[in-house]
Amino acid sequence: MFNTEFPWLTAIILFPLVASLAIPLLPDKEGKTIRWYSLGVGLVNFILIIYGFSSNFDLQNSELQLVETYSWIPQIGLNWSLAVDGLSMPLIVLTGLVTTLAIFASWKVTYKPRLFHFLMLAMYSAQIGVFAAQDMLLFFLMWELELVPVYLLISIWGGQKRRYAATKFILYTALASIFILVAALGLAFYGDTVTFDFTALGDKNYPIALELIVYAGLLIAFGVKLPIFPLHTWLPDAHGEASAPVSMILAGVLLKMGGYALIRMNIEMLPHAHIYFAPVLVILGVVNIVYGALTAFAQGNLKRRLACSSISHMGFVLIGISSFTELGINGAVLQMISHGLIAAALFFLSGVTYDRTHTLVMSNMGGMAKAMPKTFALFTAGSMASLALPGMSGFVGELMIFLGVTTSDAYSSTFKVVVILLTAVGLILTPIYLLSMLREVFYGKQNSAQTFAPLMDVNPREIFITACLLIPIIGIGFYPKLATQTYNVKAVEVASHIRNALPVVAAQKQNLYSQNLVTPEISPSTSGNLLVSTNY
């Protein structure tokens, strides 16, 4: 009875926020009590997430589960509407793991520890709220609430240019999120009924022109967070100035919100517009991959290089969700999970390195492998995962996306060959800039211009945090079903949803590109599946 009626989602969203309100009241002078309290709250909430999902979530059911709906502000149609499915559940688990470890990683924060941990717990609640919300107004509210803690965490505890980086972050993300509100109002007020419920909005029959306009607006909003070129320029600055725990959350959770929202809204609610935008997303994904890899070479700052690497890796998500195949969408979700773990590990280790050397400039480092062999081993393992070494989760996700695109019947052979070749360039560049990063930081002689205090290797706390991220990375690499079983049935449903929209678009014979670039046509198949021939 407790399991079936207990409001699990409300509990895991509100618990960190409510618990954070007690932080100003805790007696503590040096911050020790605060950090243990914050870690305890994060750990308890993560346990609630694991227990709630393990006992109440059916992996074979693609429908919404743990549904909770309460009328909140009926005058504006705002409901506290929560639910999870195979798309949101693993990302909530990822949020719980990364955020709890980020709190543990902030052990040395001594400047305004009460405010720091209050913001970390408040952000914890908002992040889960984004993935669990089933009301578009509630989603927008959670999306906006998550921005404020990140802005403050960067502007107060960041590096020398922290205010510039924080201001750039808030301007990009806050201005772009206006498109979410406008889209919500446009979709809600279309038709005979006014609703902000995701399912109800997805069931409405919109004209193709409205779908395309709304899709473009949402693409901008979510493209900033993903990020998509050319809306990405805030990310290297934010990572370069943010502290390591904040960078862990930025890369491990916040970027995934963009990919999640593209699937949840752009694909599920606007499938007809997605058919037209899919080739554009594939092209943008290729640009992300190649541009991010090339830009990473130019970065002499360790964290900025890792940030550009994130831009490159998130390009695979765009390609996967635009493949029109179950395998490609499976790979896109797995790439989000995998990158969340890998990026969190690498940014944490960059923070470990900074604590010892007090610099992020790689040319001022060198020769650290002998003094810090454990750090070197952990950094190497994280880098191998990032460059998609077989046996690591990154390899599985990227391989599934490659296979999803190459087996897709939605694109011509020429288009697929060009995409694969250009993407392969990014794959070749990735190990080069990551291995050169390891060489510059850990090999050679110590830079004579930089005097380090005697370097101390990673301590047990830091080893534990890294291991908690590397173990699932390796586990998924050898047994991908650990992750894919949580969302596979949902990926199949999303792919089927897109395919079912193809005949409608073909019948409308909409042509939105010059020179008849895209005009979907349905051709019969002996297997009964829908095949799409396009003039790419």
Side-chain angles (χ1 to χ4, degrees):
M1 182 68 69
F2 177 78
N3 281 346
T4 57
E5 296 185 358
F6 185 74
W8 287 103
L9 297 178
T10 298
I12 63 177
I13 290 174
L14 295 183
F15 176 67
L17 180 61
V18 173
S20 69
L21 300 177
I23 289 180
L25 307 177
L26 295 176
D28 188 14
K29 293 183 178 180
E30 299 179 356
K32 293 181 180 179
T33 303
I34 298 298
R35 69 192 186 193
W36 279 108
Y37 175 80
S38 180
L39 177 62
V41 171
L43 188 59
V44 168
N45 206 54
F46 182 56
I47 293 173
L48 282 175
I49 291 172
I50 297 299
Y51 179 75
F53 289 157
S54 62
S55 60
N56 296 278
F57 189 85
D58 181 8
L59 298 177
Q60 303 305 316
N61 184 1
S62 64
E63 301 298 323
L64 293 173
Q65 303 180 53
L66 281 72
V67 179
E68 302 171 24
T69 303
Y70 311 99
S71 179
W72 189 4
I73 308 178
Q75 291 82 357
I76 61 174
L78 177 58
N79 296 316
W80 182 262
S81 180
L82 308 171
V84 291
D85 56 14
L87 178 60
S88 53
M89 188 274 282
L91 294 177
I92 291 177
V93 174
L94 176 69
T95 300
L97 175 62
V98 172
T99 307
T100 302
L101 292 176
I103 294 172
F104 200 17
S106 58
W107 222 236
K108 295 185 178 180
V109 173
T110 57
Y111 180 67
K112 296 183 179 180
R114 293 180 188 271
L115 179 59
F116 181 90
H117 288 284
F118 169 81
L119 293 173
M120 291 288 280
L121 293 178
M123 182 168 55
Y124 195 173
S125 292
Q127 290 167 349
I128 298 175
V130 168
F131 293 124
Q134 293 299 315
D135 182 280
M136 206 161 179
L137 279 185
L138 180 62
F139 175 90
F140 173 75
L141 178 62
M142 293 295 180
W143 188 276
E144 292 293 288
L145 288 177
E146 163 267 326
L147 302 180
V148 178
V150 178
Y151 169 77
L152 294 174
L153 287 167
I154 296 175
S155 62
I156 298 176
W157 290 272
Q160 292 182 348
K161 298 180 179 179
R162 57 186 180 275
R163 289 186 178 86
Y164 168 78
T167 302
K168 193 172 184 179
F169 163 80
I170 199 70
L171 286 176
Y172 268 68
T173 51
L175 290 176
S177 56
I178 294 175
F179 289 99
I180 302 176
L181 180 60
V182 174
L185 295 174
L187 296 178
F189 284 93
Y190 179 81
D192 298 329
T193 59
V194 178
T195 179
F196 293 98
D197 181 74
F198 281 176
T199 303
L201 291 176
D203 290 338
K204 286 187 176 183
N205 186 20
Y206 305 104
I208 188 64
L210 177 61
E211 277 202 31
L212 290 166
I213 293 172
V214 173
Y215 191 106
L218 292 177
L219 181 60
I220 294 173
F222 305 144
V224 169
K225 189 64 71 75
L226 192 67
I228 299 175
F229 176 90
L231 307 173
H232 67 286
T233 57
W234 65 270
L235 186 64
D237 292 313
H239 274 305
E241 301 303 323
S243 61
V246 178
S247 285
M248 290 174 66
I249 297 175
L250 268 175
V253 181
L254 265 65
L255 304 190
K256 312 306 167 289
M257 292 180 181
Y260 163 81
L262 281 174
I263 300 175
R264 177 68 74 201
M265 297 187 192
N266 290 54
I267 294 181
E268 288 200 305
M269 292 167 52
L270 307 168
H272 307 101
H274 178 70
I275 294 173
Y276 290 108
F277 272 93
V280 177
L281 294 186
V282 172
I283 294 170
L284 289 174
V286 172
V287 172
N288 259 44
I289 293 169
V290 178
Y291 171 83
L294 289 173
T295 307
F297 278 109
Q299 306 303 319
N301 181 291
L302 178 60
K303 291 180 69 176
R304 289 180 71 93
R305 177 167 292 196
L306 294 175
C308 292
S309 175
S310 293
I311 295 172
S312 180
H313 283 91
M314 294 308 290
F316 285 98
V317 176
L318 291 175
I319 296 176
I321 65 177
S322 305
S323 64
F324 292 91
T325 63
E326 300 168 8
L327 192 58
I329 295 174
N330 256 290
V333 179
L334 183 58
Q335 177 73 356
M336 287 193 285
I337 298 171
S338 172
H339 179 266
L341 297 168
I342 295 170
L346 287 174
F347 278 109
F348 171 68
L349 290 170
S350 68
V352 171
T353 304
Y354 177 79
D355 289 340
R356 272 68 172 177
T357 63
H358 303 292
T359 182
L360 290 170
V361 179
M362 292 184 289
S363 61
N364 289 341
M365 302 181 192
M368 294 168 53
K370 291 183 179 180
M372 304 169 62
K374 296 177 183 177
T375 305
F376 171 59
L378 294 174
F379 222 125
T380 301
S383 299
M384 294 300 107
S386 184
L387 62 82
L389 184 75
M392 302 284 200
S393 59
F395 173 78
V396 183
E398 293 180 11
L399 179 62
M400 292 174 69
I401 292 170
F402 265 103
L403 293 176
V405 172
T406 54
T407 59
S408 175
D409 55 15
Y411 303 107
S412 69
S413 298
T414 303
F415 183 79
K416 290 189 289 186
V417 168
V418 173
V419 168
I420 296 301
L421 288 177
L422 292 176
T423 304
V425 173
L427 290 179
I428 295 171
L429 295 174
T430 301
I432 297 175
Y433 69 72
L434 287 174
L435 294 177
S436 65
M437 176 188 72
L438 292 175
R439 175 186 55 78
E440 196 167 0
V441 173
F442 292 101
Y443 284 98
K445 294 182 179 180
Q446 179 177 319
N447 192 310
S448 59
Q450 181 71 37
T451 57
F452 299 143
L455 296 176
M456 296 178 60
D457 211 347
V458 285
N459 57 42
R461 175 183 64 88
E462 293 164 337
I463 293 175
F464 175 80
I465 293 172
T466 311
C468 287
L469 295 166
L470 288 178
I471 288 174
I473 289 171
I474 297 172
I476 294 172
F478 280 99
Y479 190 63
K481 194 175 180 181
L482 287 173
T484 58
Q485 66 180 343
T486 63
Y487 63 83
N488 180 63
V489 293
K490 181 62 180 181
V492 172
E493 181 187 81
V494 172
S496 176
H497 184 57
I498 303 172
R499 306 284 292 190
N500 290 338
L502 289 170
V504 178
V505 175
Q508 292 174 337
K509 296 187 180 300
Q510 298 289 335
N511 182 10
L512 303 180
Y513 295 83
S514 62
Q515 298 179 356
N516 200 32
L517 182 61
V518 180
T519 307
E521 297 177 359
I522 307 303
S523 59
S525 170
T526 55
S527 62
N529 294 326
L530 292 175
L531 299 179
V532 187
S533 63
T534 52
N535 299 324
Y536 296 126

